[in-house]
Amino acid sequence: MLKGDFKNISRDFMLLFILVSPAIIAIAFSLIIPFADMILAAELGFQLSEHYIFIMAFIIMLVPMMYGMMIGFIILEERDENILSYLFVTPLSKAEYILYRTGLAMVMSTAFNIFILYFLDIVEVRLLQSLPVLLLSTLNAILLVLIILVFAENKVEGFAVTKGSGILFVAPLIGYLFETNFRYLAGILPPYWISESFISIYTGQGNYIFYLLAGLLVYGSWIYLLTRKFSRMIS
Amino acid sequence: MRILTAFKQDLKFQFRHKFYHAYLIVSIIYIALLLSLPGDLRPFIAGIIIFSDPAMVGFFFISAIILLEKGDRILESLFITPLKLEEYIIAKLTSLGVLSLVTSLIIVLITIETRVNYLLLIIGVILTAATFTLFGLAITAWIKTVNQFLIVSTLFSMIAVLPVIGYLGLTDSWIFYLWPSQPALLMIGGALNGGISSYHLIYSLIAFGIWLYLGLNWSRSWFYKYIILKIGDK
């Protein structure tokens, strides 16, 4: 009896943490960015402010990814406790289950991302054009949940896979640093299109609509393939 | 050589559970990031990167390992064998230390063009890895689930990285010398950025000595109290 209560307390604590951590991220960045700008300029003559748009494109991916990681771990835990096999006796498809688990986090991360655009105030906010990019970015949550479920057999591997999924962050970096057409290779990794479309809002370079659609296609393909793999694994 | 067997077992385990795959990817990311920076900026940033990730990887991974071993009842059979708790801990430290050292060296060898004091770097990474793995071990002994560890470790790391403020040259407050991460930053940062003063070196070695001693005792006693005695109660 008491044990169950303890479990609930730690679950509630987890929920609280999920709610509080984006705020911590927001405050941390609001302190770090001007700070880093000052130091880099003074010590090394490096102008961070020239890269604010890219930094912002990066930040809007963080929270969905973080939520995805946490939900992924929670589902791994359920899988370890064999709750999943009971769940799938009910007429609930695996895809619906993942969507049900991740849906609220996606809504929350969109709201948070709108907030952080205004709160950090390092780029002029163009909300109407940013909104589709933010919505695309919430797909990072589902993507990460799926990556964890498909590639990790247990929580130890969950740690390793989460670490490894950092490779997703390289794609925007390659897109940002290299001018050659070779960079489209990075477009295989979905986050590439988030940063490209976000940056094109401001620079007017490239085709904003094309980037969004390409992003939707790449995210969609990844999510589709991983969901199919996950369904096969459980049955 | 019981300890050698345990060490080999741990390395195999870590490889099987994709630790090395993950860190290969992580290293590629850091290398890409560092290569994108101008050459004179690299050693400075590399110091922060290596201190905060490859050197500290053991802190995060040890908890996953222990929790899995707890769940699989591996620990119960382990303490029936003649392997001592100290030997078990040392095997864990050295195996994770290998992962830290390999990734740190790969990153530095590929990205840093300026002079590097490799001896200082290697000693710094090994001592940092051992110290923080011991902290991870102690915290994990006391905790029940991976999710709890994620929360506690996030708070712990936020506090642990604070001496970076000093590394950035924003303050020379003595307060950070009380942190276990200060000697790590001094040694790793010094190895990459033109050396370390003899005062700092002596301080770092003494500080690491104290933290290792505390970490070893702390993790041993908590491990005993929260894990071994619990197994006995069943």
Side-chain angles (χ1 to χ4, degrees), chain A residues 35 44 151 156-157 163 177, chain B residues 17-18 23 36 41 64 170:
Chain A
F35 222 45
L44 305 146
F151 294 108
V156 177
E157 293 189 7
K163 263 287 179 199
L177 296 172
Chain B
H17 288 300
K18 302 167 189 158
Y23 261 80
S36 73
L41 191 58
L170 289 163

Side-chain angles (χ1 to χ4, degrees), chain B residues 135-175:
Chain B
F135 292 160
L137 198 68
I139 292 172
T140 309
W142 165 67
I143 246 159
K144 287 188 180 57
T145 67
V146 170
N147 286 331
Q148 284 174 353
F149 180 82
L150 283 177
I151 295 167
V152 175
S153 67
T154 307
L155 297 173
F156 180 91
S157 355
M158 278 179 186
I159 297 166
V161 298
L162 285 177
V164 169
I165 299 171
Y167 178 82
L168 293 168
L170 289 163
T171 168
D172 49 5
S173 166
W174 57 270
I175 191 99

Side-chain angles (χ1 to χ4, degrees), chain A residues 6-7 10 13-14 17 24 35 38-40 43-44 46 69-70 73-74 77 150-157 159-161 163-170 173-174 177, chain B residues 13 16-19 22-23 25-26 28-30 32-33 36-38 40-41 44-45 53 60-61 63-65 68 145-151 154-155 158 165 168 170:
Chain A
F6 268 118
K7 209 163 190 169
S10 84
F13 192 57
M14 191 78 203
F17 187 74
I24 296 173
F35 222 45
M38 199 173 68
I39 295 159
L40 291 170
E43 299 281 322
L44 305 146
F46 179 81
M69 181 186 110
M70 286 182 166
F73 269 110
I74 291 170
E77 202 152 42
V150 168
F151 294 108
E153 280 169 36
N154 50 46
K155 278 179 276 185
V156 177
E157 293 189 7
F159 265 74
V161 169
K163 263 287 179 199
S165 62
I167 191 84
L168 294 168
F169 283 123
V170 180
L173 209 64
I174 291 176
L177 296 172
Chain B
F13 176 95
R16 198 176 61 229
H17 288 300
K18 302 167 189 158
F19 285 23
Y23 261 80
I25 294 174
V26 170
I28 291 170
I29 296 169
Y30 285 138
L33 182 73
S36 73
L37 296 169
D40 53 346
L41 191 58
F44 186 71
I45 304 290
D53 194 351
F60 294 97
F61 278 169
S63 91
I65 296 169
L68 192 89
T145 67
V146 170
N147 286 331
Q148 284 174 353
F149 180 82
L150 283 177
I151 295 167
T154 307
L155 297 173
M158 278 179 186
I165 299 171
L168 293 168
L170 289 163

Side-chain angles (χ1 to χ4, degrees), chain A residues 10-34:
Chain A
S10 84
R11 283 260 156 89
D12 290 346
F13 192 57
M14 191 78 203
L15 280 173
L16 182 74
F17 187 74
I18 286 178
L19 283 169
V20 171
S21 47
I24 296 173
I25 289 180
I27 292 164
F29 274 113
S30 71
L31 296 170
I32 290 168
I33 292 169

